[in-house]
Structures are given as C-alpha cells and as structure tokens.
Amino acid sequence: MGDLKQARDSEYQAFVISRWPRLMRTAFLLTGEQHAAEDLVQTTLEQVYAAWRRVASADDPEAYVRRVMINAHARRYRRKLREFLAPRDDDEGLAHEIADTGDRIAQADDRHALLKALAELPPRQREAVVLRYWEDLTETQTAEAMGCSVGAVKSNAAKGLAKLRAIPALADMVTHGGRK
C-alpha cells in the first residue's frame, strides 16, 4: 500500500514539475497578478492532488487540470475579487512575471499595454482569448476547459479580439512592429 502511494505521489510530482510554467502562465493571464496566479495554481494543484487517481486516469490529464483551474478562477470571480493584469503604481516593488523567450506575448513591443488591454476584457472573453491564442488550444479543448459550447468559445473569442483590436495602443504595435 505504501509503495502504491509513493508511486502515485511520484507521478503527481513529475506532472506538476513538467506543467508548472504553463500553469503559471495561464493563471497569470487569467488573474493578472503574480500572487493571485500563484494562489490559483496552488488551489488547483491541491484539488488535483486530492483527486489524482481520477486525474491520472483521464484521457488528457492536462485538460482535466486546466478545467479545474478555470472553475477555480470562475468561483473566485463570482466572489467579486478584483483582478489586475497591469501592476498598480504602488506595486513598483513587487516582482512581476517575466515572459519566456518562446512566449508569444513576449514578442509584443509593449507588454504593459497588452496586459492592460487584456484586463479590460470581461472574464469569459479573457478566458477564451487566453486559452485559444496564448495556450493555443483548439476550440473544442477551450470549450471543455471553460465548460461551455464551441459556439460560446467562438463568440467570446471573437468579441474579445474585436475589443483588443479597437485599442489604439495595440493597433500601433501591430502597425509599427510589423506583426500580425
């Protein structure tokens, strides 16, 4: 019995270590704050550990964990907690998330403007944009993670992108930076 638990714990630990950067990036994009992202990932991993046997036997454990994270974030939002994607002026002393060199967001000339614009999206639109375009999930995977239909993902993503495209600072980045 002890060997089985130890093997399960080792499997869980390997999963967490391999997925930690991606989980943190997703949580940061959803919450907008490094500390809130760490709390969200911790809450998610606590729930996953308690159900690890079920998670590990799922067809796609990473999708299962992502769904747990989206649900935990939605519960937090329902409680009307404030979210910030751009640091407040009085947060200058805090360590802020640093983009990976391969992260598409890091390619933006003005990361601050992008995160601030993302913060202005309603939560469901932000979730759809983050999961579809930063996490590069399919519409079906995004719908599963958000617990909605593919049509709702398409609608939320389209509305979110339209709002982002309407922000002059972001349009200038695309126009002057040569990015699409």
Side-chain angles (χ1 to χ4, degrees), residues 13-148:
Q13 184 178 13
F15 177 86
V16 169
I17 290 169
S18 68
R19 303 312 195 290
W20 182 262
R22 189 171 187 152
L23 290 171
M24 280 299 300
R25 181 181 67 213
T26 302
F28 179 79
L29 291 168
L30 290 172
T31 64
E33 204 172 44
Q34 186 70 25
H35 299 293
E38 290 169 358
D39 288 346
L40 180 57
V41 171
Q42 182 67 34
T43 298
T44 300
L45 292 176
E46 286 173 3
Q47 292 174 4
V48 166
Y49 180 76
W52 182 246
R53 205 175 324 188
R54 187 172 52 240
V55 174
S57 65
D59 290 336
D60 187 355
E62 189 170 350
Y64 191 109
V65 172
R66 195 172 25 253
R67 178 66 188 263
V68 171
M69 182 184 291
I70 296 295
N71 288 343
H73 178 258
R75 279 191 301 277
R76 194 172 281 187
Y77 173 74
R78 274 185 234 126
R79 288 188 216 134
K80 307 277 191 238
L81 291 178
R82 292 183 64 191
E83 300 175 4
F84 298 97
L85 280 171
R88 297 180 304 257
D89 292 337
D90 58 342
D91 285 349
E92 294 302 321
L94 293 178
H96 299 289
E97 191 247 359
I98 298 170
D100 298 335
T101 54
D103 188 344
R104 292 185 189 135
I105 299 172
Q107 297 171 359
D109 290 336
D110 191 351
R111 185 176 176 81
H112 178 76
L114 182 58
L115 293 174
K116 186 174 180 182
L118 195 56
E120 294 173 9
L121 295 179
R124 293 300 277 182
Q125 289 177 15
R126 183 181 328 140
E127 288 172 3
V129 169
V130 166
L131 294 173
R132 280 286 291 131
Y133 300 103
W134 275 282
E135 292 302 316
D136 202 25
L137 300 180
T138 65
E139 290 169 341
T140 303
Q141 291 170 323
T142 302
E144 289 171 5
M146 292 175 62
C148 63

